[in-house]
Amino acid sequence: MSESSPAPTTRRARVRAPELTGKGGWLNTGGNQYTLADLRGRIVILDFWTFCCINCLHVLDELRELEAKHRDTVVIIGVHSPKFVHEAEHQAVVDAVERYGVEHPVLDDPELATWKQYAVRAWPTLVVIDPEGYVVAQHAGEGHAHALAKLVEELEAEHAAKGTLRRGDGPYVAPEPEPTTLRFPGKALLLPSGNVLVSDTTRHQLVELAADGESVVRRIGSGARGFADGAAEDAAFNEPQGLALLDDGAVVVADTVNHALRRFDPATGRITTLAGTGRQWMQGEATEGPAREVNLSSPWDVAWWQGRVWIAMAGVHQLWAYDPADGTVSVTAGTTNEGLVDGPGAEAWFAQPSGLAATPERLWLADSETSALRWVDPDGHVHTAVGTGLFDFGHRDGAAGQALLQHPLGVTALPDGSVAVSDTYNHALRRYDPATGEVTTLATDLREPSDAVLAGEDIVVVESARHRLTRLRLPEEAVRVEAVAHRTQRAATEVAPGALRLDVIFQAPAGQKLDTRYGPSTRLLVSATPSELLLDGEGAGTDLARDLELNPAVSEGVLHVSAMAASCDDDPANEYPACHVHQQDWGVPVRLADTGTDRLPLVLAGLDA
């Protein structure tokens, strides 16, 4: 369907919703199990997510206001659909639900049973089920909260009139809080005093610990989710992560869900804001300028390098930098496309960069979604040390070219020029030595390590899912582990060789139209891995439909599709209508077969007719 698709009318297409099934069972329900029949009379929004995915975390935050406003009519259900092997572990899902403050029921679906029943193709995907049990809308990607709010109001009115709407308390039951000193800590920093500063992410605080890594010296931040500067006890963070020390002794904090950089002064305890507006950056917005006026997107880590604070901007798959000399921010590397492409910074692709470590010669980074260790040289070129792309991961030591990691979140420069990698989903600390090109394992049986800092001859690891810091002696010999390799467990779509019609379905929400005031309101970018898979149809364009030509000589691969559409309120009387950006990236595994389909529909918003 092209960009001229009509807006949906009040007479909606309806498809009977498949049952909700998941081998892991239900979370956040007080032990109760649910079927769709139990939810009849309520508006149900299914949020297909996986906890590694930054876009999924953005959607969790987008849904919070809707969830609060319509708590008596709307039931949001997270359907956890794993990408990585670790994400199929039930306890890991339990941890993630608490870590990210999910306040609705979650169905743990490790075998993707419900994902397949609903024909979902991407994380995140939202599906709306009306009070009579019919699917009435589907949205992929981010930026749909306003459309959902409008649809919910329509469904409330429609089904109240029909007598099919049932109001009341939902099935959510909050879990009991756990009394640990730290709760899913993210990153750590050794202060000049010898104390350790930790981002206590789930409690929205920083915690200064004594040199023993256990005794609390002070807490910084109120502990309530928010965005406020001020004294240590009054200031508010929102899931802070990365920490970096400046020359003046102050600490820069990556305040991830506030989309901001904050400054903590250890001497006074005061918090101020250095960069960001509190709003998430979206396609088409400014990528440089005065730091307090430019939107950021989920900054996950920070590092001081070459006179600037470099930022792992996980939310848009880029590196940015903050220059304290003139108070500006700007993009330094990455195109916002998700993947693994080396080269000059302006051409490189990243996938959720989440950890940084600086040496004079290199800025090392943990590129989590490609399970890669990468680095930037002083000329701004991007290189890959370990990792091959979005779909290959595992735990394999040896030559870097065939070694495997699994969603690493942290990297630490070691005194001998090598680096330690917090190999998060392998529960391990790994080491890469540039001198030999070898990857080894330093420690195992850690629980979701997310960062590590040097403390004398020891390395202190942030064991995020054990809620503690763990001190290890850097071993002379690496631990040996049995090699294991994985590929993402999504079934490939069988497509016919030759001509393939790609249709991105976008229907502007009710009361809106495509925004064409400043040119085309849609964008489509297509590429493939391997690149030989596409004989024709690669590149950027403004039409949401495209004819591709697949190479019969390539048996399988991945189509990378990125789509964006902007819609505005359709009210001629309003000179300044509110506008909204909808965007999503798909990685679609395909297998060529003579009996395969010649059409690939991807739903950005609406239903595929």
Side-chain angles (χ1 to χ4, degrees):
M1 198 173 293
S2 69
E3 63 180 64
S4 60
S5 307
T9 64
T10 51
R11 185 175 176 80
R12 288 184 201 87
R14 300 203 308 172
V15 179
R16 176 62 74 181
E19 190 52 82
L20 305 178
T21 57
K23 195 174 180 181
W26 291 81
L27 305 176
N28 278 359
T29 62
N32 295 317
Q33 307 296 302
Y34 285 91
T35 66
L36 277 178
D38 299 324
L39 304 171
R40 196 64 48 81
R42 313 300 287 273
I43 300 163
V44 177
I45 300 176
L46 303 182
D47 175 17
F48 288 88
W49 71 299
T50 189
F51 63 77
C52 72
C53 157
I54 190 69
N55 312 89
C56 300
L57 304 186
H58 290 167
V59 167
L60 283 176
D61 289 303
E62 286 180 8
L63 292 174
R64 291 187 199 280
E65 184 178 345
L66 179 75
E67 200 164 24
K69 185 176 180 181
H70 298 275
R71 199 171 288 280
D72 66 332
T73 58
V74 173
V75 175
I76 295 175
I77 294 174
V79 183
H80 189 269
S81 313
K83 171 186 173 181
F84 290 99
V85 168
H86 169 59
E87 292 175 306
E89 295 176 17
H90 182 69
Q91 185 57 47
V93 181
V94 173
D95 288 345
V97 167
E98 181 188 351
R99 181 195 300 268
Y100 298 116
V102 179
E103 295 184 354
H104 50 248
V106 172
L107 177 64
D108 180 13
D109 183 18
E111 296 174 347
L112 302 180
T114 298
W115 165 289
K116 293 169 187 170
Q117 284 291 311
Y118 281 82
V120 175
R121 292 185 182 274
W123 299 276
T125 291
L126 297 163
V127 175
V128 182
I129 301 171
D130 72 13
E132 293 178 289
Y134 290 90
V135 173
V136 293
Q138 182 171 327
H139 299 78
E142 302 178 48
H144 301 295
H146 64 286
L148 289 173
K150 182 87 173 173
L151 178 57
V152 163
E153 289 173 1
E154 290 178 4
L155 290 171
E156 283 178 343
E158 177 185 332
H159 288 274
K162 288 174 69 175
T164 48
L165 184 69
R166 179 166 57 91
R167 296 178 181 271
D169 292 334
Y172 171 67
V173 177
E176 289 293 321
E178 298 284 343
T180 53
T181 301
L182 302 173
R183 205 69 193 162
F184 297 105
K187 305 287 185 182
L189 175 70
L190 191 68
L191 295 171
S193 65
N195 289 351
V196 182
L197 189 68
V198 183
S199 54
D200 196 15
T201 305
T202 297
R203 293 209 177 115
H204 315 295
Q205 290 180 316
L206 310 181
V207 179
E208 184 177 345
L209 301 174
D212 62 9
E214 296 180 9
S215 306
V216 175
V217 176
R218 59 176 164 170
R219 293 184 178 273
I220 301 101
S222 66
R225 187 189 293 271
F227 189 9
D229 289 342
E233 62 273 16
D234 302 321
F237 298 98
N238 198 342
E239 298 183 25
Q241 289 280 351
L243 307 166
L245 195 64
L246 299 178
D247 290 342
D248 63 2
V251 175
V252 178
V253 183
D255 194 6
T256 304
V257 180
N258 278 329
H259 311 294
L261 296 189
R262 314 292 292 282
R263 180 183 187 272
F264 165 57
D265 184 343
T268 66
R270 289 195 67 81
I271 305 296
T272 52
T273 298
L274 293 176
T277 64
R279 294 185 301 276
Q280 181 188 337
W281 184 93
M282 301 297 276
Q283 288 287 352
E285 295 181 347
T287 56
E288 61 181 349
R292 293 290 302 273
E293 299 173 16
V294 177
N295 294 340
L296 309 182
S297 183
S298 298
W300 207 274
D301 203 5
V302 280
W304 178 256
W305 192 54
Q306 295 186 323
R308 294 186 291 175
V309 176
W310 285 63
I311 310 164
M313 202 72 79
V316 283
H317 318 299
Q318 289 180 310
L319 301 180
W320 289 41
Y322 165 73
D323 189 340
D326 60 10
T328 59
V329 289
S330 58
V331 176
T332 53
T335 64
T336 75
N337 292 318
E338 185 178 11
L340 194 153
V341 177
D342 289 340
E347 300 171 13
W349 291 23
F350 301 99
Q352 238 169 274
S354 301
L356 298 174
T359 68
E361 303 80 24
R362 296 183 180 186
L363 179 71
W364 292 97
L365 68 115
D367 203 26
S368 62
E369 281 291 285
T370 52
S371 297
L373 172 66
R374 305 176 73 185
W375 53 280
V376 183
D377 66 28
D379 294 327
H381 282 67
V382 178
H383 311 260
T384 298
V386 183
T388 59
L390 286 165
F391 300 97
D392 294 295
F393 56 91
H395 193 152
R396 182 194 287 155
D397 286 339
Q402 58 84 56
L404 293 171
L405 308 169
Q406 187 181 178
H407 197 84
L409 290 178
V411 59
T412 308
L414 300 179
D416 64 355
S418 67
V419 289
V421 179
S422 295
D423 192 6
T424 310
Y425 289 3
N426 279 328
H427 309 301
L429 190 67
R430 312 285 292 284
R431 176 177 177 264
Y432 168 70
D433 186 351
T436 63
E438 292 286 312
V439 175
T440 52
T441 299
L442 295 174
T444 56
D445 193 32
L446 301 167
R447 187 70 188 169
E448 291 193 20
S450 54
D451 195 22
V453 293
L454 289 174
E457 295 183 356
D458 297 338
I459 190 164
V460 178
V461 181
V462 180
E463 273 199 275
S464 189
R466 281 201 179 111
H467 320 291
R468 71 186 190 194
L469 304 186
T470 299
R471 185 178 293 264
L472 303 172
R473 179 57 53 94
L474 282 171
E476 297 289 328
E477 293 295 325
V479 179
R480 291 242 170 252
V481 297
E482 186 177 341
V484 58
H486 300 289
R487 296 212 81 205
T488 298
Q489 299 279 319
R490 268 191 295 161
T493 299
E494 290 203 344
V495 294
L500 177 68
R501 175 72 169 182
L502 172 65
D503 281 327
V504 174
I505 288 91
F506 177 75
Q507 296 158 346
Q512 294 183 21
K513 64 178 181 179
L514 288 168
D515 177 18
T516 55
R517 291 170 301 162
Y518 307 108
S521 60
T522 54
R523 189 189 70 162
L524 181 65
L525 181 69
V526 180
S527 62
T529 304
S531 57
E532 297 80 23
L533 174 63
L534 268 181
L535 295 175
D536 191 34
E538 185 177 10
T542 58
D543 195 341
L544 291 182
R546 189 175 301 178
D547 292 315
L548 311 180
E549 184 77 19
L550 302 185
N551 187 348
V554 179
S555 60
E556 62 180 350
V558 178
L559 290 174
H560 303 283
V561 180
S562 178
M564 183 273 286
S567 63
C568 294
D569 293 344
D570 187 10
D571 181 0
N574 186 353
E575 188 179 352
Y576 302 105
C579 296
H580 312 275
V581 175
H582 318 252
Q583 59 188 45
Q584 173 62 9
D585 297 329
W586 291 268
V588 184
V590 295
R591 182 181 303 111
L592 273 61
D594 292 334
T595 56
T597 182
D598 61 0
R599 177 177 179 264
L600 180 61
L602 299 174
V603 177
L604 179 60
L607 290 175
D608 180 19

